Amino acid sequence: MADDPLVIFTPSGKRGRVPAGTPVLEAARRLGVDLDSVCGGRGICSKCQVVPGQGAFPKHGVTVGEGALSEFNEVEARYDRIRGLKPGRRLGCQARVLADMVIDVPPESQLHRQVIRKSAIERVMEMDPAVRPFYVEVTEPALDDPTGDFQRLAAALAGQWRIEGLQADLPVLARLQPILRKAGWKVTAVLRDDGRAPPLLIDLLPGLLEGPLYGLAIDLGSTTIAGHLVALDDGHVLASSGLMNPQIRFGEDLMSRVSYGMMNPGGAAEMTAAVRAGLGDLARALADEAGVAAGLIVEAVIVCNPVMHHLLLGIDPVELGQAPFAPASSDALTVRAADLGLEIAGSARAYLLPIIAGHVGADAAAVVLSEQPQQSDKPVLIVDVGTNAEIILGDRSRVLACSSPTGPAFEGAQISSGQRAAPGAIERLRIDPETKEPRFRIIGVDAWSDEPGFDAAAAAVGISGICGSGIIEAVAEMRIAGLVDAGGLIGSAEQTGTARCIPQGRTHSYVIHDGRDTGGPLIAVTQGDIRAIQLAKSALYAGARLLMDEFGIDRVDRVVLAGAFGAHISPLHALVLGMIPDCAPDHVTSAGNAAGTGARIALCSRAARGEIEAEVRRITRVETAIAPRFQEHFVAANAIPHAIDPFPSLAAVVTLPGIRFNAGAEGDRPRRRRR
């Protein structure tokens, strides 16, 4: 009923109305939300923990008041008393929905845990880290020598290593004397020297440190946070891990988070606390995975977009949400790691790469550092696909950069059967053009759905939904098979010749998998899903075309798909969809998590930091929000693959059906190109 409370679950984006008093766990099950529980709703297992939102959520069109959930009951109070609930958490089986509600399902409460696919690509690193260990033997104090112990250490470093001007933080000074005496005046001094400031003593270790020191390279995305633990002697990656950005409960896209901060007093501080807690969790997970003591992690490099940059630093991002989109600071920054929630070596620093522009961040700078477009003989287009896509076009003559708000559809959000990349999610799909029958592969199972052994393997993980790479391939395959026309309309069963195209109101859906007979979901691509993908891919294409206009070219010779998600996109399907400008499919390559690679390069090399800081000042920024031709490119790119560009390179390898469903219907008329 319309008067029933509206419940919106993040990060899935699934929503629906439920009767007042419905437990959150039951609401999740009704709406197909991935919320775990093994105790039958008795409040024992705690696997159904959720984080209720509060305040205004303009993107969702709701304002959540204090009484939107029932108060803590005795079951929750007992669990909290005995085992403890994190602040702000509720048990989904006990909390009841009383009014409109936004509820976040944290990663540990998801039955199908997300697969954070941001592993490190092997790369030879030029080692020149800012932090190094130095073994010294310090002269012991005497009655006739009143020199302080720190000065004695500084003199030893100057005499034995020619290191002058040593400085130290107060926490290190506080521990210095007992360490020197316990170690018999033979110690390893851990120094940070970035070549600019005086050398800084960040730790003092007894005796000779025989193993390496370590650093963190962190790619702080709006949806996921990925990190690598790196040995600072040879650049080897010991551990890689990732987690969902806990800020996602405040809004899936960046502008939603800016709006949340603007409309809720203390909202920006909430988001800062959330992301710092996430960084702390990630650092601990990496240290535990590698079996490395946190005190040996002595440096961090962080790359992120401008909004995440500001929220991480505790800066209100309100100015980034309105013209002229000015950041508080665009230069590279060095801050205390502990101030950002990183519990590593006590006086360790975190280095943040420079921001290119108000909407083009340090993550794009890291991509430039990794992929070096300024060294290319021909223009290369680099697209870092994500909730907010960073796009770079350059060669030896110049480099251009912009960002484009693609939204979370490519991540599987805002898709009817969409989900994050997790075991059981459809990630690859093919449709037979003759029979219109699909075959697919799910995360966690190597076999395709029409191959022997698939059913048994899939039964172990379940077929739960479709993730970002899966929905891209699904829409592209539907276009190739003649199930979707160039305007994005799904045909009826009569028009397409398959009963898999079923009516849904005034539109149609294409059924990929129907598991309802065995208690599973119906996984289909709806007309709304097609529209969400059209909007996302049009924004991406329009941003790329703006850079090409500025560069004065109509074609690019090479396209690089960066980002963890980009590594799982099929180049052919990206071209069929029209996500990127036309290019020979074999000239579309993946760079993996290039932003993370750039962070590792900066972690391992002081020279690389200077290089990218200088290069960022030379990059030409293009602001899509005010570019006159963005809307023109966006509208033309709504067609699949494009309304105007014939995509000749794609046409050489794939023939797309010239079909047109509902010809002449409102909304299916060809649009005129602006002059």
Side-chain angles (χ1 to χ4, degrees):
M1 294 179 60
D3 293 337
D4 289 338
L6 175 66
V7 185
I8 300 159
F9 285 93
T10 63
S12 68
K14 294 184 177 180
R15 60 169 59 205
R17 295 190 178 274
V18 298
T22 301
V24 171
L25 179 60
E26 183 180 335
R29 288 172 173 168
R30 288 189 186 190
L31 299 175
V33 174
D34 190 18
L35 181 57
D36 202 358
S37 177
V38 298
C39 70
R42 292 177 293 172
I44 298 172
C45 71
S46 82
K47 292 184 178 295
C48 64
Q49 290 185 37
V50 295
V51 182
Q54 192 169 349
F57 294 85
K59 175 184 174 180
H60 300 304
V62 299
T63 298
V64 180
E66 290 187 7
L69 276 187
S70 60
E71 295 184 357
F72 250 55
N73 63 16
E74 292 182 4
V75 175
E76 289 177 290
R78 184 183 69 243
Y79 183 89
D80 189 30
R81 185 173 62 253
I82 297 173
R83 299 179 62 183
L85 279 171
K86 289 183 179 180
R89 294 277 181 102
R90 297 291 302 273
L91 295 182
C93 62
Q94 302 299 314
R96 296 177 179 273
V97 179
L98 303 180
D100 290 355
M101 193 71 231
V102 176
I103 299 172
D104 181 61
V105 181
E108 60 268 30
S109 297
Q110 295 171 18
L111 180 61
H112 301 93
R113 308 288 196 270
Q114 181 182 8
V115 178
I116 307 290
R117 302 193 279 196
K118 292 199 174 185
S119 58
I121 294 176
E122 287 297 326
R123 187 146 171 175
V124 176
M125 295 290 169
E126 182 178 336
M127 298 307 299
D128 177 30
V131 180
R132 295 175 181 268
F134 296 91
Y135 174 75
V136 289
E137 297 184 2
V138 182
T139 303
E140 296 186 40
L143 287 173
D144 59 352
D145 182 2
T147 307
D149 286 349
F150 174 73
Q151 286 68 36
R152 223 183 309 277
L153 173 65
L157 285 165
Q160 298 169 39
W161 293 99
R162 297 183 180 178
I163 295 171
E164 304 286 349
L166 185 68
Q167 296 185 356
D169 282 343
L170 182 58
V172 181
L173 283 176
R175 297 185 290 106
L176 182 140
Q177 288 189 304
I179 292 174
L180 282 171
R181 283 157 178 78
K182 185 176 181 180
W185 304 92
K186 298 176 181 179
V187 292
T188 297
V190 180
L191 304 186
R192 186 180 193 277
D193 184 0
D194 62 3
R196 306 171 196 182
L200 177 71
L201 178 68
I202 66 171
D203 206 354
L204 193 65
L205 306 173
L208 172 66
L209 176 67
E210 296 184 358
L213 295 170
Y214 305 93
L216 295 173
I218 298 173
D219 176 11
L220 173 54
S222 52
T223 301
T224 58
I225 309 174
H228 309 294
L229 181 66
V230 180
L232 294 182
D233 59 346
D234 61 4
H236 179 67
V237 176
L238 283 82
S240 296
S241 186
L243 48 77
M244 295 288 292
N245 187 331
Q247 282 185 351
I248 204 167
R249 66 178 181 268
F250 302 105
E252 290 179 328
D253 60 84
L254 297 174
M255 287 303 103
S256 293
R257 295 182 204 176
V258 173
S259 296
Y260 183 87
M262 294 171 65
M263 301 182 69
N264 296 279
E270 270 188 277
M271 290 185 282
T272 294
V275 74
R276 288 179 180 177
L279 283 184
D281 290 343
L282 178 61
R284 284 188 290 273
L286 288 167
D288 290 345
E289 180 181 339
V292 168
L296 293 178
I297 304 174
V298 294
E299 180 91 335
V301 169
I302 302 174
V303 300
C304 49
N305 61 59
V307 172
M308 293 310 310
H309 173 277
H310 280 42
L311 288 172
L312 173 64
L313 293 172
I315 301 170
D316 193 327
V318 60
E319 293 299 332
L320 295 174
Q322 56 196 17
F325 315 109
S329 175
S330 56
D331 286 345
L333 295 173
T334 300
V335 299
R336 289 175 56 87
D339 291 341
L340 304 183
L342 292 170
E343 298 175 0
I344 53 180
S347 291
R349 273 18 182 199
Y351 172 82
L352 283 75
L353 268 68
I355 290 175
I356 296 176
H359 284 165
V360 187
D363 47 358
V367 171
V368 171
L369 182 57
S370 171
E371 298 307 303
Q372 297 285 307
Q374 68 273 24
Q375 301 298 328
S376 176
D377 292 327
K378 294 182 179 180
V380 55
L381 180 70
I382 305 171
V383 181
D384 193 344
V385 187
T387 307
N388 193 65
E390 282 80 30
I391 309 169
I392 298 157
L393 176 64
D395 62 10
R396 292 186 184 276
S397 65
R398 58 178 175 155
V399 176
L400 313 178
C402 73
S403 71
S404 197
T406 54
F410 287 152
E411 306 267 355
Q414 298 179 348
I415 302 298
S416 60
S417 297
Q419 66 168 84
R420 305 292 177 186
I426 295 173
E427 62 171 343
R428 306 292 301 278
L429 184 108
R430 299 290 181 270
I431 299 174
D432 188 309
E434 299 297 326
T435 66
K436 318 298 184 186
E437 285 296 299
R439 54 193 290 264
F440 54 85
R441 200 169 74 186
I442 62 174
I443 296 175
V445 176
D446 291 334
W448 286 75
S449 59
D450 61 345
E451 293 178 343
F454 173 83
D455 291 338
V461 296
I463 303 173
S464 51
I466 187 165
C467 68
S469 60
I471 193 65
I472 286 173
E473 293 196 4
V475 176
E477 284 286 321
M478 290 171 69
R479 179 73 182 94
I480 295 170
L483 300 169
V484 167
D485 66 13
L489 286 174
I490 302 175
S492 65
E494 293 75 20
Q495 291 170 319
T496 61
T498 175
R500 286 186 175 272
C501 288
I502 60 175
Q504 187 174 42
R506 299 176 62 184
T507 61
H508 296 88
S509 298
Y510 174 74
V511 176
I512 296 174
H513 170 75
D514 189 351
R516 290 175 295 182
D517 289 345
T518 57
L522 174 70
I523 300 174
V525 178
T526 69
Q527 191 64 63
D529 297 339
I530 300 282
R531 185 58 181 159
I533 291 297
Q534 283 178 291
L535 293 173
K537 73 98 174 180
S538 297
L540 189 62
Y541 179 94
R545 278 298 318 185
L546 279 180
L547 295 189
M548 293 167 65
D549 291 345
E550 181 72 19
F551 214 88
I553 58 176
D554 290 324
R555 289 285 183 270
V556 291
D557 179 68
R558 186 164 63 95
V559 177
V560 177
L561 298 175
F565 179 55
H568 296 272
I569 298 175
S570 157
L572 178 64
H573 292 91
L575 287 164
V576 170
L577 197 59
M579 285 177 61
I580 52 178
D582 185 50
C583 181
D586 59 351
H587 286 198
V588 181
T589 58
S590 169
N593 183 18
T597 301
R600 288 164 51 210
I601 293 171
L603 177 67
C604 293
S605 171
R606 297 182 299 175
R609 299 183 190 188
E611 174 192 336
I612 193 57
E613 289 174 24
E615 184 62 33
V616 161
R617 289 191 285 271
R618 292 191 289 266
I619 292 175
T620 300
R621 296 86 160 168
V622 175
E623 183 52 67
T624 57
I626 58 175
R629 296 198 67 190
F630 182 85
Q631 187 64 20
E632 176 186 343
H633 287 311
F634 181 88
V635 171
N638 268 213
I640 305 174
H642 199 270
I644 300 168
D645 191 335
F647 271 57
S649 298
L650 174 65
V653 294
V654 173
T655 300
L656 299 178
I659 53 175
R660 184 178 173 85
F661 301 129
N662 297 339
E666 184 67 27
D668 192 37
R669 295 172 185 163
R671 300 175 185 265
R672 285 191 219 165
R673 183 176 183 179
R674 290 188 193 173
R675 300 191 181 276

